Amino acid sequence: MIELPVDLPAELVPLSWLIGVWEGSGVIDYKVGDGSVTHEFGQRVSFSHDGLPHLNYTSYTWLFPETAGGEPAPLATETGYWRIARDLGEGDVGPGLLPAVGRPPYPDADSVETLRNTDGGFDLEVSIVHPGGVSELYLGQVKGPRIDLATDAVMRTAGAKDYAAATRLYGLVEAHLLWAWDIAALGQDLRTHASARLAKVD
C-alpha cells in the first residue's frame, strides 16, 4: 500500500510510489568495441518533495569491496528533478525567484486528471545532472507503476566524456524499485548499460 504525504501536491500523485529512500544492488554490463565493462554495484536513491509540484532526485552508487580491491569505492552520483510535463503559467513559481501569482493551476485530483495523455498515462520531464559535466533532459511518461524515459537533449562541457543519448525504465515490482538504463557513450550506439533492484529503506 502506498501512503500519500498529507502535503503532497496533487500533480505528484502519479509519481507518489517513487517517494522515499531506496537501496539495493545492480550490475553494469556495457560493451565497448570488442570488450565489455562488467561490475556489481550498490546504490542508494532518494525521491522527495518540497511542497512544489516536482520530485527532488538523488542517486549515489559505489563498487562493492570485491570489485574495488577490498574497499567500497565511490562510483557515481546524480541529482535532478522529476515533474509532470505541462505548460507553466502565472500560478507557478519562476522564472528565477519570482513567486507564483494566484492559485496553483492543478490543485486537486480532478484537475490533474485533465493532464492524462492519449495512452492513459502522464507525460514527464526529468532533468538529471552528473558532476562530470553532463546534463540530461528526459521526456517520457508514467503509467501506473511504470516509467519510460528517453533523452530529448544531452549537454556536455568541453571536458566531459563522450555521452550522446540514453533511455531509462523504472517499475515497481513486488514492492521493489527496478530500473534499467541504456546509454550511447564512448562512440557506441545505444545499448544495455546497467540495471538494479532496490528496496525501500525509509
Side-chain angles (χ1 to χ4, degrees):
M1 175 184 290
I2 298 172
E3 294 185 14
L4 300 181
V6 294
D7 58 345
L8 185 72
E11 287 178 61
L12 293 184
V13 171
L15 294 169
S16 60
W17 54 272
L18 289 170
I19 295 174
V21 178
W22 304 81
E23 192 167 306
S25 61
V27 176
I28 306 160
D29 188 10
Y30 190 62
K31 293 182 180 179
V32 181
D34 294 330
S36 65
V37 178
T38 305
H39 293 290
E40 293 186 14
F41 64 92
Q43 183 181 33
R44 186 176 179 89
V45 168
S46 171
F47 289 94
S48 63
H49 79 95
D50 50 20
L52 294 171
H54 62 261
L55 291 182
N56 304 307
Y57 163 79
T58 60
S59 168
Y60 172 69
T61 55
W62 61 92
L63 292 175
F64 289 129
E66 56 272 19
T67 303
E71 294 291 334
L75 182 58
T77 60
E78 299 178 327
T79 188
Y81 302 95
W82 298 50
R83 73 180 192 94
I84 301 296
R86 63 168 177 81
D87 292 339
L88 299 181
E90 289 187 346
D92 298 293
V93 298
L97 298 179
L98 299 178
V101 177
R103 66 194 299 265
Y106 297 92
D108 52 43
D110 289 339
S111 60
V112 172
E113 278 298 310
T114 66
L115 296 172
R116 280 195 187 272
N117 59 32
T118 56
D119 194 36
F122 294 89
D123 294 330
L124 291 180
E125 293 178 3
V126 175
S127 301
I128 297 179
V129 178
H130 307 257
V134 172
S135 298
E136 303 172 274
L137 171 62
Y138 287 90
L139 301 180
Q141 78 163 354
V142 54
K143 186 176 181 181
R146 178 184 169 121
I147 293 171
D148 294 273
L149 300 171
T151 49
D152 183 60
V154 175
M155 295 183 293
R156 294 183 289 130
T157 61
K161 290 186 176 181
D162 175 47
Y163 183 90
T167 62
R168 301 192 190 212
L169 168 67
Y170 295 81
L172 188 65
V173 180
E174 297 177 350
H176 284 77
L177 178 61
L178 277 61
W179 63 257
W181 182 11
D182 294 353
I183 65 173
L186 305 178
Q188 310 302 304
D189 56 6
L190 190 67
R191 59 186 61 185
T192 299
H193 164 240
S195 60
R197 182 183 183 97
L198 311 176
K200 185 172 281 192
V201 296
D202 188 16

